Amino acid sequence: MSDNARWVRPLGSASADGWDVAVDDTADGWSHTSLYAVTLAAGESRTVAAAEWEHVVVPLSGSVSVTVVDPEGLSHDCVLAGRASVFAGPSDVAYATRDCEVTVTARGAAATVAVCGARAARRHTPPLRHVGVADVPVELRGAGTASREVRNFATPGVLDADSIIACEVITPAGNWSSYPPHKHDEDRPGVESELEEIYYFQLRSTQRSELDPTSDEQGAEGGPHSSPREGFGYQRVYGTGERPIDVLAEVRSGDVVLVPHGWHGPAMAAPGYDLYYLNVMAGPGDERAWLICDDPAHGWVRDTWATQQIDPRLPLGGAQ
């Protein structure tokens, strides 16, 4: 029996407290990560209350200001320039340590913003840090139809944090990413780390992107791309014999898939639609590390990349 009903959150099904998407430890079986996402009108704000969670603020479209109030009541501010859409290239981001209230406000025009979170044991200083877009490494991973672009704005070695690991992945239309299927649900030092993971999706029509490379899937009413959820992709999650899970979900812009454990991948971009996803990971281990193991039935696929070229469409948003 499919586990989609438990682990897939279509747009509108996870809204709460003014957020379009609100996923946190109030969800059954979820403990270590959170994600809040919302589209704000110019000047509109949302706040994440202070708690034992660290956060990374990621503008998805538009520009936002970030205000962090630390445990001493002091206010810290920064402005994130953002971008036209997730397909326009990387964005600058902001990190807030645990025990801080975080407020995001749309600047100048409407903005869509994500606030990624992870349960944290230690407080980091300073309370608020700005990561400039020039400091976000852009990695081209895989080859051939498994080519994808990874923007590592909050991974170990890029962002100093307690537990959160976050990045975003662009998969050109027709390609597969999160592939070969892999898992990270056991603590095996040097081999595999125990991390739960959130996938948040957006899609864009390639026909529309040819007209405007920075656009997302927002067409004029009545036009050929009138629905912002017209594009689609697929996400697969399946378990081991000891810990079964079975998810195969059609995903559209604004949808979320939760990965509590098990092999996950591929994330498939349908022909005609570029696929974006934001990943948020954290777990109970003391070491902040992304260590994975491939499904042994499919790991051999990595060896084929040596004789293939990286998809020439990448990077979609241009290297920084």
Side-chain angles (χ1 to χ4, degrees):
M1 179 179 295
S2 171
D3 290 314
N4 284 24
R6 181 175 185 186
W7 301 116
V8 180
R9 304 286 194 276
L11 180 63
S13 67
S15 58
D17 301 323
W19 296 93
D20 300 330
V21 173
V23 174
D24 53 32
D25 61 343
T26 59
D28 179 39
W30 209 248
S31 302
H32 303 287
T33 57
S34 65
L35 177 69
Y36 303 96
V38 67
T39 297
L40 300 170
E44 189 178 9
S45 300
R46 293 289 186 278
T47 297
V48 178
E52 297 177 356
W53 295 70
E54 58 187 356
H55 295 96
V56 177
V57 179
V58 184
L60 303 176
S61 64
S63 176
V64 298
S65 60
V66 181
T67 299
V68 168
V69 179
D70 67 25
E72 287 70 43
L74 299 176
S75 182
H76 310 265
D77 303 280
C78 74
V79 172
L80 300 180
R83 52 195 165 178
S85 84
V86 296
F87 298 100
S91 175
D92 53 344
V93 303
Y95 169 81
T97 191
R98 57 162 281 172
D99 303 317
C100 292
E101 178 186 87
V102 180
T103 298
V104 293
T105 305
R107 298 182 68 251
T112 301
V113 61
V115 182
C116 314
R119 191 179 299 279
R122 294 169 291 273
R123 190 183 302 167
H124 284 240
T125 57
L128 173 65
R129 295 202 303 276
H130 178 241
V131 179
V133 67
D135 296 321
V136 177
V138 176
E139 173 190 1
L140 301 186
R141 190 177 297 171
T145 56
S147 300
R148 59 272 201 184
E149 171 185 346
V150 185
R151 303 166 183 163
N152 293 302
F153 58 81
T155 54
V158 175
L159 177 71
D160 183 26
D162 184 68
S163 61
I164 194 167
I165 300 172
C167 64
E168 53 189 13
V169 180
I170 299 288
T171 308
N175 284 11
W176 289 21
S177 61
S178 286
Y179 194 75
H182 59 279
K183 73 180 184 75
H184 39 70
D185 60 10
E186 297 180 76
D187 183 12
R188 297 189 292 157
V191 177
E192 184 179 355
S193 46
E194 182 180 354
L195 303 167
E196 64 183 23
E197 183 167 10
I198 299 172
Y199 279 71
Y200 167 86
F201 296 91
Q202 287 195 11
L203 292 105
R204 173 184 71 168
S205 160
T206 55
Q207 182 177 351
R208 180 166 174 77
S209 69
E210 290 170 1
L211 300 175
D212 179 2
T214 66
S215 70
D216 55 17
E217 186 69 3
Q218 302 287 336
E221 184 176 356
H225 307 293
S226 59
S227 170
R229 286 172 53 79
E230 178 184 10
F232 68 98
Y234 290 91
Q235 174 70 41
R236 180 75 170 117
V237 185
Y238 59 99
T240 61
E242 298 76 20
R243 301 178 73 188
I245 184 173
D246 184 8
V247 171
L248 177 58
E250 181 179 287
V251 293
R252 298 174 182 269
S253 289
D255 292 352
V256 170
V257 174
L258 305 180
V259 183
H261 58 83
W263 311 105
H264 44 288
M268 297 164 271
Y273 299 99
D274 297 324
L275 176 72
Y276 162 95
Y277 53 86
L278 172 63
N279 281 150
V280 186
M281 293 171 276
D286 292 332
E287 181 184 12
R288 177 176 173 248
W290 183 66
L291 299 175
I292 68 169
C293 63
D294 290 336
D295 183 338
H298 306 294
W300 62 269
V301 171
R302 288 189 188 273
D303 297 333
T304 68
W305 296 345
T307 59
Q308 300 179 59
Q309 300 296 314
I310 293 176
D311 193 315
R313 292 175 290 178
L314 294 174
L316 283 191
Q320 297 296 311

